[in-house]
Amino acid sequence: MTPNVPAMTAPGDEFIVSVGVFNNSSGSGPVRVEAQVDSALTLSGPAATELQIAEKREGVAEFRVKANAVLGSASLRFTAR
């Protein structure tokens, strides 16, 4: 997985975070991608999406995120199943 996130945001900013997911398995099928955030961020849309990724190909999942009024670092965690 290859995330694409902004290096810095300000409280109240809304932005799109994308994550590339490569299917390195033999076979294709649905891949469920989930995003989890800590208290510094809020997901403004769905926390999960399903991608159809062919064998040895990459798909991209996008999530809308809002920065809260918590200053400092923030954590985003992605899982794919």
Side-chain angles (χ1 to χ4, degrees), residues 22-78:
F22 189 81
N23 181 359
N24 203 27
S25 67
S26 57
S28 60
V31 177
R32 182 175 175 83
V33 183
E34 297 178 12
Q36 297 174 333
V37 296
D38 66 12
S39 62
L41 303 169
T42 301
L43 289 169
S44 299
T49 187
E50 277 203 12
L51 302 174
Q52 293 292 331
I53 306 174
E55 179 180 344
K56 308 300 183 204
R57 300 283 186 214
E58 185 178 31
V60 177
E62 292 184 339
F63 301 94
R64 180 172 284 286
V65 181
K66 181 178 181 180
N68 295 331
V70 178
L71 300 179
S73 63
S75 292
L76 269 164
R77 180 177 172 190
F78 299 103

Side-chain angles (χ1 to χ4, degrees), residues 1-22:
M1 295 192 331
T2 308
N4 181 18
V5 298
M8 289 181 267
T9 62
D13 284 355
E14 287 197 36
F15 50 94
I16 300 287
V17 171
S18 64
V19 59
V21 181
F22 189 81

